[in-house]
Amino acid sequence: MVFVAIGAVVSLLSLRLREQEQRYRGVFDNSEAGTFIVAPENAGPRIEEVNYVGAALLGSTTKDLIGEPITRFLDDPGAWRDFQVKVRPDKAVYGYEAALRRPDGVAVQVIVSGGRLPDGRIILTLVDITARKSAEDALRQANTKLNIMGRLTRNDLMSAVSGLLRRISEGMGEFDDPAVRRYLESLEEDARFVQRRAEITRDYQDLGLRPPGWQPLQEVIREVMSCLLLPGVSVRSWVERLEVFADPMLDRVYVNLIENSARHGETVSEVVITYQLRDDGLVIYVEDDGVGVPEAEKEKIFEYRVDGGGGLGLFLVREILSITGMTIQETGRPGEGARFEIHVPPDGYRLI
């Protein structure tokens, strides 16, 4: 009777193991990503198992790939060493970009994710991003050409404005009639406005041209403060260990916010930068002790208006942040100081 019971338990366990194996095999074979199991042998890492999508990605068949060294298909064989270091028993790797080279010479760009199995083997999933990378390259080239055209147009505009200002100055010295002088002064004001706008577009001509990346916020603010002259205003930042995923022009965000406090806060003596974790991400606070922003102006300060009534600097701040999904709003109390809140999405920050 005991042996019968043991036999029943063994049969039941064997059945469940077969069911689990079939389930995992179905996931492996039918995955929409190329999936590989790589054995780290002494002679080099070799492909032990691969699904149909993975074989098609490498321009081969599952049968022909078994036993092949994975490094044979890497455009840079050293990339495997780098990836292997990142894959530890307690940590998987996600979003690792690599270039593959198929036997027919065709290059394939992929995103690789992987983890180490209990027996030491490595399981990999590869997603083809060749089309996306090609589109990004084409868009980058188009942006570069548009940037060149914008630079040439801006240079022509600046030259024309400089010539106009020179003629206005000559006219101011030639005419004494008050009406004519008022007219020339109004023309000079308009020309100066165009000149300032052109200078700002020069500063932001590379917006969105380079890919975003992880940036240590404390270091960004430290570099910003090394370039600003703010007599009578102290800036304190408490954002150590915080990195945000942002456009390379993130420094211009804090230049504008800090300068905005110093220029418009009237009684500002201190700017404080902190952050707070929330369920929906993270919020960065930029606060000052000035006069604050009137309720009716809280949204208008971010608007771009042709007549110059809006704040172009804060308009561009919002644009820079929006590239990586961040938002900004002013939430301070009038009379108690300005308070800018920058919301960072959950995948847009990390604490190191």
Side-chain angles (χ1 to χ4, degrees):
M1 181 68 68
V2 173
F3 292 108
V4 172
I6 292 174
V9 171
V10 170
S11 298
L12 180 61
L13 291 176
S14 298
L15 178 62
R16 289 184 176 178
L17 285 173
R18 283 196 298 271
E19 290 176 349
Q20 286 186 339
E21 183 179 354
Q22 290 174 355
R23 187 181 302 117
Y24 294 140
R25 174 56 59 183
V27 171
F28 184 91
D29 289 340
N30 299 310
S31 171
E32 294 184 2
T35 309
F36 298 75
I37 293 180
V38 178
E41 299 179 3
N42 293 332
R46 296 188 177 274
I47 299 172
E48 192 170 279
E49 293 188 56
V50 57
N51 67 356
Y52 172 80
V53 176
L57 193 64
L58 296 181
S60 186
T61 65
T62 56
K63 180 180 179 181
D64 291 339
L65 288 176
I66 302 301
E68 289 292 327
I70 190 72
T71 52
R72 172 189 167 192
F73 302 98
L74 292 172
D75 207 26
D76 175 16
W80 176 257
R81 291 192 297 271
D82 180 52
F83 182 82
Q84 201 169 18
V85 169
K86 296 178 184 297
V87 179
R88 300 196 299 270
D90 60 336
K91 184 178 180 181
V93 174
Y94 303 97
Y96 185 93
E97 291 194 14
L100 304 181
R101 183 70 60 178
R102 289 167 38 163
D104 58 6
V106 174
V108 182
Q109 297 287 331
V110 295
I111 285 184
V112 185
S113 299
R116 196 175 293 274
L117 300 174
D119 59 7
R121 294 181 301 170
I122 295 175
I123 183 167
L124 305 174
T125 58
L126 278 62
V127 176
D128 189 350
I129 59 169
T130 305
R132 192 195 80 184
K133 296 294 287 187
S134 297
E136 289 176 354
D137 290 341
L139 181 60
R140 193 173 296 111
Q141 291 179 25
N143 283 338
T144 300
K145 293 178 180 179
L146 288 172
N147 191 283
I148 293 172
M149 290 297 297
R151 184 181 296 112
L152 294 173
T153 303
R154 183 174 53 255
N155 290 343
D156 290 344
L157 178 62
M158 292 291 284
S159 178
V161 170
S162 295
L164 177 60
L165 287 171
R166 185 169 56 254
R167 292 188 179 185
I168 291 173
S169 178
E170 293 171 354
M172 295 285 283
E174 183 176 345
F175 298 101
D176 295 327
D177 187 298
V180 173
R181 292 183 67 85
R182 282 196 300 273
Y183 180 71
L184 291 174
E185 287 172 357
S186 67
L187 286 180
E188 182 181 26
E189 184 179 346
D190 290 342
R192 296 287 184 193
F193 172 75
V194 173
Q195 187 179 53
R196 288 194 299 271
R197 286 297 204 231
E199 289 172 348
I200 289 175
T201 59
R202 177 193 60 203
D203 293 339
Y204 290 88
Q205 66 184 4
D206 293 330
L207 179 60
L209 193 59
R210 292 175 291 160
W214 290 103
Q215 301 185 50
L217 192 54
Q218 186 79 351
E219 184 177 328
V220 169
I221 295 171
R222 188 181 298 115
E223 291 179 0
V224 164
M225 293 310 303
S226 69
C227 301
L228 292 179
L229 294 176
L230 302 172
V233 179
S234 67
V235 178
R236 294 185 296 138
S237 60
W238 306 97
V239 290
E240 296 87 352
R241 299 177 53 235
L242 175 62
E243 289 190 350
V244 292
F245 190 73
D247 186 86
M249 297 193 73
L250 179 66
D251 60 329
R252 304 302 301 176
V253 168
Y254 291 93
V255 166
N256 273 287
L257 292 177
I258 295 170
E259 284 189 334
N260 184 78
S261 291
R263 183 179 300 117
H264 302 293
E266 298 183 13
T267 59
V268 170
S269 63
E270 182 179 60
V271 177
V272 179
I273 304 171
T274 57
Y275 70 89
Q276 179 184 25
L277 295 173
R278 291 187 179 178
D279 292 339
D280 61 344
L282 176 140
V283 175
I284 300 168
Y285 300 101
V286 182
E287 306 173 78
D288 66 47
D289 57 354
V291 297
V293 180
E295 289 292 343
E297 299 295 320
K298 288 184 179 293
E299 185 59 30
K300 291 181 180 179
I301 58 176
F302 296 104
E303 296 176 356
Y304 171 69
R305 288 162 52 183
V306 177
D307 61 4
L312 184 56
L314 292 179
F315 166 78
L316 290 169
V317 162
R318 177 170 279 182
E319 292 300 304
I320 293 171
L321 294 173
S322 68
I323 289 175
T324 51
M326 289 185 275
T327 59
I328 184 171
Q329 58 181 338
E330 204 287 324
T331 61
R333 293 184 178 181
E336 298 182 9
R339 175 189 174 103
F340 291 95
E341 294 188 10
I342 300 172
H343 178 262
V344 185
D347 59 350
Y349 75 90
R350 63 188 184 189
L351 299 175
I352 58 173

